[in-house]
Amino acid sequence: MAVVHCIPGKQPLLVTKPDASSQTWTGPLSPEQAAQLEALVGTLTAEQALWVSGYLAGYNARARVAAPATAVVPTAQPVTILYASETGNAASLAKKLNERAKAKGLATKLLDIADYRVKDLKGERFLVVVTSTQGEGEPPTSAADFYEFLHGRKAPRLEGLKFAVLGLGDSTYEHFCQTGKDIDTRLEALGAVRMVERVDCDVDYEAPATGWIDRLLDQLVRELPPAEAKIVAFPHVAAPAVAAEPLYDRTNPFQATVLENLRLTGRGSSKEIRHVEISLEGSGLTYEPGDSLGILPQNDPELVGELIASLGLEGRPDLQEALGRDYEITTLTGRFLAGWAELSGAKALKELVADPAAQKAWLHGREIIDVVSAFPVPGIDAATFTGLLRKLPPRLYSLASSQAANPDEAHIVVSTVRYDSHGRSRKGVASTMLADRVRPDDTLPVYINANRHFRLPTDPDAPIVMIGAGTGVAPYRAFMQEREERGAKGRSWLFFGERNFRTDFLYQVEWQRWLKDGVLSRIDLAFSRDQAEKVYVQHRLLERAAELWAWLEEGAHLYLCGDAEQLAPDVHAALLRIVAEQSGRGPEQAAEYLKTLQREGRYQRDVY
Amino acid sequence: MTMDRSRDVSQPVERLSGNERLKAASRRLRGDIVEGLADPVTGGISPEAQQLLKFHGSYQQDDRDLRDERRRQKLEPAYEFMVRVRLPGGVCRPDQWLKLDELARTYANGTLRLTTRQTFQFHGILKRDMRKTIQGMNQVLLDSIAACGDVNRGVMCSINPHLSALHQQVYELAKATSEHLLPRTRAYHEIWLEQEPVAGSGEEEEPIYGPTYLPRKFKIGFVIPPENDVDVYTQDLGFIAIVENGKLEGFNVTVGGGMGRADNEPGTYPRLADVAGFIRPDQVVRVAEEVVKIQRDYGDRVDRKHARFKYTIDDRGLDWFKDEIASRLGWRLEEPRPFVFTTNGDRYGWAQGDDGCWHYTLFVENGRVKDTADLQLMTALRTIAAVHEGEFRLTPNQNLIISRIKDTARARIQSLIEAYGLDSTVRRSVLRRNSMACVALPTCALAMAESERYLPQLVTKLEKVMAEHGLAEEPIIVRMTGCPNGCARPYVAEIAFTGRAPGKYNVYLGGGFHGQRLNRMLLENVGEPVILETLTPIIARYAKERVPGERFGDFVIRAGIIREVKEGRDFNG
């Protein structure tokens, strides 16, 4: 999907490129194309411009062109200076460089590398890194994310980038200035062009560092005559109105490469919740916050083997494959039970089939393997067995990412299901596949499952209240990414619950950053097992009743995501109580109030 | 002579270091600690609050073993807190021991750490449990006020179990000095004990410290010769007991000792204190106050790496100090009296005091009280504390004395010592019993290398070398720290290691056996193979070439293996 963001008539489309030739810069377009485009755009109304942007988006999607989500328009950051400091030396040198560059009229942006958004790297034109090195050649803590991104499989090509690196270190260490060397080498390998040679400074860094700064500034002035830098930023327009036909769906899934698969819950957690990132690059797949990712899982080969052995059907690779890929071999259905009662002739099974209440109780915690091994059917053929089975359904996971923020990626949050029952260890089909058998660089068959009933307000200024527990936090991460990316101004409030603060605060550092940056306005947390009495999300809602009511009255949109059995009814009851108590409504009117919100799309739920 | 006052408290706070501005604006050490404790989004507190927290005896730390793993997991570092008890002279009652043991198991990491300054540290306390921990201490009349921070820290005192009456006298003075030098702010009571603010809250007068407290930490120690167990020369201010005919005549006053230094900063160095004069026992508290005030007034508040009292003394000279203190006291210190030190280590096992009471000194490896498969030390001490009627004393070498056991109770204590195998600890090798490591990884934020978790393994290897050369019974003072700041007083050890990077250490030789001489760096930034390759032939030479009674630290200087350090400024030379 490609969206050209512009408002015709108000801003020029083309930007003067800050270089010596003083020619207009036309991005990827030829000057002729740019002129044609500008001529057309100049005649469009806002509505027409919106349509055109949608048209282009759809055009690109149909052409299966993998393109960035937004046409990159240069913004006012010609020289980005990053420092990675342990003791403050790198920071002070970077500051010195920054001041001297400014004195020369160069536009600069100085950042602690810890605060740098790695996804901005692709759009940089001039990058300067001043970095120290830790003990055994590792990057300073503040640079760990940057370093990892740069050296990871998600690092972008950087042909358009010019860079310079200054390393600080201590030559008594074996891996002297290693981080500087690594970053320098890697930037070049990614296609970036070195402006001045790297210098590796020892403990007495002053003189060599000053020399390097002198050379760099000379070069920058040659590259970037200060007076020429004329910068125009383009505001965003709403998303395109034309949606492209999905290219892949559950019957024709996209074979997506796994980029990342890690445990989110910290050591010592009672939960195993994982973060999985997959690449959508080249798929043309698009999604919006609130949508889900469909995954076609496979069964545990061990369980397949055990089942085949129980059936006495060993030595059938085709059956092994079919049971692994096509059939649901865990969940026990009434139909299977009835069929197996017939085949086995087992009296106990027949009695169960005749007594629905007893059957329900018996099924609890049991799977197909329990029946097959307890009531063998000697000589059964494969087709008879598979005839009793259902197709293996895909699993849906709420997307935890915004495509605007991560153009070629989809992130999901998965709680791994493992438990023991009736003397066996049970494993969730898809969750343990992801936990135990899927590694980065593997592929997964996936598709996008749109959810039009869980959407951010179209008005970016509308307040939102996000209520979730456990993996229910996933769409809210997508919401925040989206709102941050779009520069939405609406207030936002997260209620999140899990078991333990120390290990289970999913995406903790991201929430902290959004809170600090004002993308998230408020947060309330309920960790049920950190104190003697259990505290859940609904308790926090009730504690904040007055403020919550005020938000609702100011037009806030309410979202609820997570467990359908416990969380959803408890939260709904709390909301009813809040509405009744705060507004003086009776129970029925309070229910009516929430129903109205639901009808208006201001109370949306994604429960499972 | 005009005095350079451009870097001290006489300057407007804007010209001084950031910490000075922070202290000045902190409303007497309150800052935003309360807000930080209430913030549910993080397990930590703000950077400013962390600085102020030290004055309340606590550091924010994180489990560094988990740091990188949690970063990938998008979790903040596993923040937790160290709390250090204020325990003048290292003396505590059995009921206090039991409470600390309970708190350690309830809120901390299940262990107690005995420190090189004779107190307890809890590690691994979560933010939400901080008040509960400190209130628990308060129930047994213990606190952590000024256990860290730019104030007078915990006051040390020799543990000498033989001279009971004398110890009692000197200990009382150590305690009185600690109490007298406490900050007057009620911040601690409001924040941790949740007492209501009274009139003047946030503007309390600090008659000794003033509103910006001291430029840097300040350490005091009392020592009873011939044992220099408190390493008196490493203290900012020291009192050496002078006993004549069994009577405490007074103290020699020492000034300007300190260990901390930084790698690659030659302007920083460890320094041994100078003996400045002699005073009477009833003058101790007054002299301590005036010395603290001199440092308050003249200490460097621009550069925190040059802010310890040792630099004030070194920059201005001992004579200046003697004049300055005389002008404040209205009288001059007397000439120092003679004294003799012979050792700075502990003596283990049973000893009887001159009052007839018994004392049992246990070896606690690196001060860590915990239960392991081999030794149920924590359980044993809890069991002993439940029946013990005397007291416990924490030694400056991180060991423990079960102290003041009446003759009638000795058999019962002895049977518990045997039942739990505690007597085995005092039979560990001489080298191990004279070794000491700071905490370092995984909790200390400053550590660059392992210390407590590694020194025991290195000692095992050195024990082998010692035994091969017939030196199994020869004591050598071995100390290790995870960084150059010197918590285990490494720069007076005969062999010392300070961490530079994981598995890499600077190696120092030539410290004095009873803490009377600094050592010097022999190797920089090396790993275990190089350490052993280098030390083995030196130990071999020591075995062959030493003269009778010659200490290892003296030998390496006489043999020309390392050049003697004559004063702190010479350390980096």
Side-chain angles (χ1 to χ4, degrees):
Chain A
M1 153 173 110
V3 185
V4 177
H5 294 300
C6 60
I7 293 182
K10 293 188 180 157
Q11 304 272 8
L13 176 70
L14 305 177
V15 178
T16 307
K17 187 189 183 187
D19 69 8
S21 65
S22 183
Q23 287 176 343
T24 49
W25 183 69
T26 58
L29 302 184
S30 73
E32 291 74 16
Q33 288 173 317
Q36 286 169 346
L37 183 55
E38 188 164 46
L40 170 66
V41 165
T43 68
L44 296 178
T45 65
E47 198 184 335
Q48 287 172 325
L50 196 63
W51 186 89
V52 168
S53 66
Y55 171 81
L56 287 174
Y59 184 86
N60 263 351
R62 275 195 294 279
R64 299 195 185 196
V65 173
T70 52
V72 178
V73 175
T75 52
Q77 42 165 311
V79 184
T80 297
I81 303 167
L82 302 179
Y83 58 88
S85 210
E86 276 292 322
T87 59
N89 294 337
S92 70
L93 284 173
K95 281 170 192 155
K96 196 160 136 194
L97 166 64
N98 188 48
E99 277 157 27
R100 290 187 51 195
K102 277 190 173 153
K104 285 187 182 291
L106 294 164
T108 59
K109 190 166 82 172
L110 176 70
L111 276 175
D112 184 333
I113 202 160
D115 297 330
Y116 183 69
R117 299 197 310 177
V118 290
K119 62 181 191 304
D120 291 345
L121 190 57
K122 217 169 169 173
E124 298 288 356
R125 297 181 55 216
F126 296 94
L127 179 72
V128 181
V129 180
V130 183
T131 181
S132 61
T133 294
Q134 282 214 74
E136 291 296 87
E138 319 92 67
T141 313
S142 62
D145 286 335
F146 179 87
Y147 185 91
E148 227 169 68
F149 175 78
L150 198 67
H151 288 81
R153 60 180 77 78
K154 289 160 73 173
R157 292 298 301 170
L158 296 171
E159 264 82 13
L161 179 72
K162 294 190 171 174
F163 75 96
V165 175
L166 180 67
L168 297 182
D170 175 343
S171 59
T172 62
Y173 288 83
E174 184 186 347
H175 303 283
F176 173 55
C177 284
Q178 192 60 43
T179 303
K181 290 173 189 169
D182 290 347
I183 291 175
D184 189 56
T185 312
R186 181 63 178 164
L187 286 170
E188 184 175 46
L190 292 169
V193 176
R194 189 178 291 110
M195 290 184 283
V196 296
E197 285 301 312
R198 185 190 74 247
V199 169
D200 297 331
C201 299
D202 206 345
V203 182
D204 48 348
Y205 57 83
E206 304 283 359
T210 306
W212 177 86
I213 290 174
D214 292 343
R215 291 193 291 284
L216 174 62
L217 288 173
D218 288 350
Q219 186 58 29
L220 279 171
V221 169
R222 276 197 291 277
E223 300 263 1
L224 233 167
E228 303 292 340
K230 182 178 154 198
I231 302 303
V232 180
F234 283 72
H236 281 292
V237 211
V242 180
E245 290 291 314
L247 302 160
Y248 297 104
D249 57 24
R250 60 184 290 174
T251 57
N252 176 32
F254 174 65
Q255 294 295 329
T257 304
V258 176
L259 296 171
E260 186 76 271
N261 181 353
L262 55 83
R263 195 178 154 144
L264 279 180
T265 40
R267 224 189 279 188
S269 176
S270 61
K271 290 263 191 97
E272 181 186 345
I273 297 177
R274 304 186 73 82
H275 171 83
V276 181
E277 296 183 6
I278 64 159
S279 171
L280 297 181
E281 198 173 351
S283 69
L285 286 171
T286 64
Y287 64 88
E288 287 188 52
D291 288 346
S292 297
L293 183 77
I295 294 181
L296 280 68
Q298 298 209 4
N299 288 306
D300 178 9
E302 267 183 42
L303 179 63
V304 171
E306 201 182 341
L307 198 55
I308 289 176
S310 298
L311 294 164
L313 291 169
E314 292 96 332
R316 292 274 309 271
D318 58 326
L319 183 62
Q320 176 89 25
E321 196 185 327
L323 289 180
R325 190 190 56 209
D326 300 334
Y327 294 101
E328 176 150 294
I329 59 166
T330 50
T331 309
L332 199 46
T333 61
R335 178 171 160 263
F336 182 90
L337 203 64
W340 201 260
E342 284 303 316
L343 287 169
S344 65
K347 187 163 167 270
L349 286 184
K350 287 185 173 171
E351 284 172 11
L352 276 177
V353 171
D355 180 352
Q359 181 183 321
K360 193 180 168 201
W362 193 84
L363 287 180
H364 188 77
R366 285 194 167 84
E367 296 180 346
I368 288 170
I369 183 75
D370 300 86
V371 177
V372 170
S373 51
F375 305 99
V377 178
I380 187 170
D381 68 284
T384 306
F385 175 67
T386 56
L388 295 175
L389 301 177
R390 301 191 299 183
K391 293 289 283 178
L392 184 59
R395 303 301 201 269
L396 293 179
Y397 296 98
S398 297
L399 281 150
S401 53
S402 144
Q403 204 168 16
N406 310 273
D408 295 327
E409 296 171 17
H411 304 177
I412 56 171
V413 193
V414 182
S415 182
T416 311
V417 177
R418 301 180 204 273
Y419 59 96
D420 292 332
S421 64
H422 303 291
R424 285 178 184 274
S425 297
R426 316 289 178 173
K427 298 173 173 180
V429 174
S431 67
T432 60
M433 174 188 79
L434 290 169
D436 300 340
R437 305 197 300 280
V438 172
R439 295 285 163 263
D441 293 331
D442 290 351
T443 56
L444 278 178
V446 305
Y447 63 95
I448 297 294
N449 189 68
N451 180 1
R452 294 182 211 297
H453 303 293
F454 207 80
R455 283 280 182 265
L456 273 170
T458 47
D459 176 3
D461 293 339
I464 57 174
V465 178
M466 305 170 283
I467 305 162
T471 56
V473 82
Y476 305 141
R477 181 173 183 259
F479 281 9
M480 287 294 97
Q481 289 186 351
E482 182 81 7
R483 280 201 148 187
E484 179 178 37
E485 195 62 24
R486 303 288 185 211
K489 296 282 182 292
R491 288 176 300 152
S492 55
W493 189 351
L494 175 71
F495 287 88
F496 172 71
E498 248 300 348
R499 285 180 180 167
N500 295 104
F501 167 80
R502 194 169 163 95
T503 53
D504 307 339
F505 188 175
L506 307 181
Y507 301 108
Q508 178 183 25
V509 297
E510 298 185 359
W511 296 111
Q512 289 175 341
R513 188 175 64 77
W514 282 320
L515 205 55
K516 189 174 136 212
D517 295 349
V519 177
L520 180 68
S521 320
R522 295 190 62 157
I523 190 166
D524 278 280
L525 300 164
F527 291 99
S528 59
R529 300 193 180 180
D530 278 347
Q531 57 283 307
E533 68 290 355
K534 295 274 203 302
V535 175
Y536 297 107
V537 168
Q538 60 268 23
H539 300 118
R540 296 289 181 239
L541 290 169
L542 291 167
E543 285 168 20
R544 302 285 182 220
E547 294 128 297
L548 200 55
W549 174 248
W551 276 56
L552 284 177
E553 287 292 279
E554 288 158 25
H557 289 231
L558 210 49
Y559 299 88
L560 172 58
C561 184
D563 172 62
E565 281 179 29
Q566 293 285 326
L567 174 80
D570 289 344
V571 165
H572 191 77
L575 290 172
L576 281 174
R577 198 173 135 194
I578 289 165
V579 171
E581 289 179 5
Q582 296 295 317
S583 72
R585 285 175 168 84
E588 282 171 25
Q589 288 93 331
E592 188 51 44
Y593 180 92
L594 286 182
K595 276 197 190 118
T596 307
L597 283 186
Q598 277 179 303
R599 275 195 296 273
E600 291 170 351
R602 277 182 54 205
Y603 176 20
Q604 303 191 348
R605 294 155 54 107
D606 178 6
V607 298
Y608 40 85
Chain B
M1 185 178 88
T2 54
M3 181 76 65
D4 176 11
R5 301 294 306 267
S6 65
R7 303 171 73 83
D8 66 33
V9 75
S10 65
Q11 298 299 314
V13 75
E14 295 71 32
R15 293 197 196 155
L16 305 175
S17 77
N19 280 59
E20 294 301 313
R21 294 192 289 280
L22 177 67
K23 285 181 271 184
S26 71
R27 293 176 296 115
R28 301 292 186 273
L29 309 178
R30 288 170 177 82
D32 64 349
I33 293 175
V34 166
E35 291 76 7
L37 292 174
D39 182 353
V41 177
T42 170
I45 57 177
S46 74
E48 294 76 20
Q50 287 174 47
Q51 290 298 320
L52 298 172
L53 189 70
K54 296 178 186 177
F55 292 81
H56 301 263
S58 176
Y59 278 66
Q60 179 177 315
Q61 305 184 322
D62 72 282
D63 186 337
R64 294 177 59 182
D65 288 346
L66 302 183
R67 198 183 272 181
D68 200 52
E69 169 179 316
R70 286 178 64 94
R71 181 181 60 77
R72 287 164 208 277
Q73 292 178 313
K74 305 171 198 301
L75 294 168
E76 70 178 12
Y79 291 126
E80 54 189 35
F81 293 82
M82 180 279 282
V83 173
R84 184 182 293 157
V85 180
R86 184 177 67 91
L87 197 71
V91 175
C92 98
R93 301 191 311 258
D95 66 307
Q96 292 174 323
W97 181 284
L98 289 173
K99 189 62 174 185
L100 296 174
D101 171 273
E102 177 200 323
L103 293 171
R105 287 178 294 119
T106 310
Y107 300 123
N109 63 0
T111 74
L112 279 170
R113 181 61 153 83
L114 314 183
T115 76
T116 56
R117 292 191 65 79
Q118 295 179 285
T119 190
F120 298 91
Q121 279 181 188
F122 298 107
H123 291 271
I125 298 176
L126 300 182
K127 187 168 84 171
R128 63 170 185 269
D129 294 327
M130 280 290 283
R131 279 202 181 102
K132 286 177 262 189
T133 305
I134 290 176
Q135 290 176 11
M137 286 161 46
N138 192 55
Q139 286 169 16
V140 289
L141 305 181
L142 288 174
D143 62 64
S144 61
I145 302 172
C148 325
D150 300 341
V151 278
N152 172 52
R153 307 270 189 98
V155 176
M156 297 178 71
C157 179
S158 280
I159 40 76
N160 192 320
H162 302 275
L163 305 167
S164 308
L166 186 62
H167 173 267
Q168 191 62 30
Q169 256 181 302
V170 178
Y171 164 69
E172 292 297 343
L173 282 170
K175 199 172 166 188
T177 304
S178 173
E179 302 290 338
H180 184 72
L181 295 177
L182 279 178
R184 302 292 198 267
T185 173
R186 287 181 45 81
Y188 182 91
H189 306 81
E190 290 176 18
I191 296 170
W192 307 108
L193 306 181
E194 299 180 283
Q195 293 178 4
E196 287 298 315
V198 295
S201 172
E203 295 167 3
E204 294 96 333
E205 178 149 9
E206 290 286 8
I208 297 174
Y209 291 113
T212 50
Y213 299 85
L214 293 182
R216 203 74 165 71
K217 60 185 164 192
F218 195 88
K219 297 177 176 181
I220 299 179
F222 288 75
V223 70
I224 306 174
E227 274 140 7
N228 185 20
D229 50 359
V230 309
D231 272 328
V232 72
Y233 301 115
T234 69
Q235 312 281 343
D236 290 279
L237 172 59
F239 295 96
I240 302 171
I242 302 297
V243 181
E244 289 163 12
N245 302 319
K247 179 172 172 283
L248 179 67
E249 289 293 325
F251 297 88
N252 280 352
V253 177
T254 66
V255 292
M259 288 282 96
R261 54 173 282 276
D263 292 318
N264 294 322
E265 299 201 29
T268 68
Y269 49 86
R271 185 183 189 280
L272 295 187
D274 296 310
V275 180
F278 172 84
I279 59 169
R280 305 280 164 189
D282 62 356
Q283 296 169 330
V284 163
V285 172
R286 173 83 202 283
V287 166
E289 176 179 331
E290 293 307 334
V291 174
V292 164
K293 285 174 166 174
I294 289 173
Q295 167 63 355
R296 173 197 69 189
D297 293 344
Y298 293 105
D300 185 338
R301 290 179 189 255
V302 173
D303 178 4
R304 284 181 67 78
K305 286 184 175 161
H306 187 257
R308 289 287 298 276
F309 189 43
K310 62 183 174 184
Y311 300 115
T312 312
I313 292 292
D314 238 4
D315 294 349
R316 294 170 193 273
L318 188 62
D319 290 338
W320 166 82
F321 169 78
K322 288 180 185 171
D323 292 345
E324 182 67 27
I325 188 98
S327 79
R328 289 173 185 243
L329 292 168
W331 44 268
R332 296 193 74 82
L333 305 184
E334 292 175 37
E335 282 303 303
R337 307 275 179 98
F339 62 94
V340 177
F341 287 132
T342 56
T343 174
N344 61 4
D346 291 336
R347 282 186 269 180
Y348 299 94
W350 285 107
Q352 191 170 25
D354 54 16
D355 61 353
C357 280
W358 290 91
H359 309 265
Y360 190 86
T361 305
L362 276 171
F363 171 64
V364 181
E365 187 156 32
N366 295 325
R368 186 65 72 175
V369 176
K370 63 179 177 185
D371 284 345
T372 65
D374 298 336
L375 186 69
Q376 303 276 298
L377 181 60
M378 197 167 186
T379 301
L381 291 172
R382 180 163 61 248
T383 310
I384 289 170
V387 300
H388 181 37
E389 288 168 347
E391 61 195 24
F392 291 95
R393 289 185 202 165
L394 281 58
T395 84
N397 291 301
Q398 310 186 139
N399 294 312
L400 182 69
I401 307 181
I402 307 163
S403 196
R404 296 178 81 162
I405 303 165
K406 291 214 176 78
D407 217 17
T408 50
R410 187 185 162 183
R412 181 161 60 167
I413 300 293
Q414 173 66 27
S415 71
L416 287 171
I417 286 169
E418 283 170 16
Y420 284 97
L422 302 187
D423 44 347
S424 71
T425 66
V426 305
R427 293 194 294 270
R428 310 295 289 271
S429 80
V430 177
L431 189 71
R432 193 174 298 272
R433 285 190 273 123
N434 282 289
S435 70
M436 186 155 88
C438 72
V439 177
L441 296 171
T443 51
C444 179
L446 300 171
M448 293 184 272
E450 296 283 353
S451 183
E452 178 186 325
R453 298 195 294 195
Y454 168 60
L455 183 62
Q457 301 160 43
L458 182 61
V459 165
T460 302
K461 290 174 183 164
L462 290 174
E463 276 170 347
K464 206 165 148 254
V465 177
M466 295 284 283
E468 280 166 10
H469 293 93
L471 296 172
E473 296 305 315
E474 197 62 33
I476 296 180
I477 307 293
V478 180
R479 293 177 180 176
M480 175 176 278
T481 55
C483 82
N485 291 303
C487 287
R489 301 189 286 277
Y491 306 113
V492 288
E494 297 181 284
I495 303 176
F497 308 92
T498 65
R500 291 296 299 271
K504 295 289 169 68
Y505 298 85
N506 291 351
V507 181
Y508 308 80
L509 291 184
F513 183 75
H514 48 87
Q516 78 282 19
R517 184 178 58 237
L518 293 169
N519 52 25
R520 187 187 293 281
M521 186 163 72
L522 176 72
L523 297 168
E524 185 170 16
N525 209 356
V526 296
E528 186 181 280
V530 177
I531 290 171
L532 293 174
E533 262 166 44
T534 310
L535 291 183
T536 301
I538 296 174
I539 290 169
R541 278 188 68 187
Y542 174 55
K544 263 189 246 153
E545 300 172 21
R546 69 191 159 136
V547 299
E550 187 174 29
R551 297 297 182 191
F552 182 77
D554 300 333
F555 168 77
V556 290
I557 289 169
R558 182 177 62 82
I561 294 164
I562 199 88
R563 209 154 38 83
E564 180 179 2
V565 175
K566 296 217 165 68
E567 60 164 324
R569 277 195 252 224
D570 180 34
F571 183 83
N572 297 310

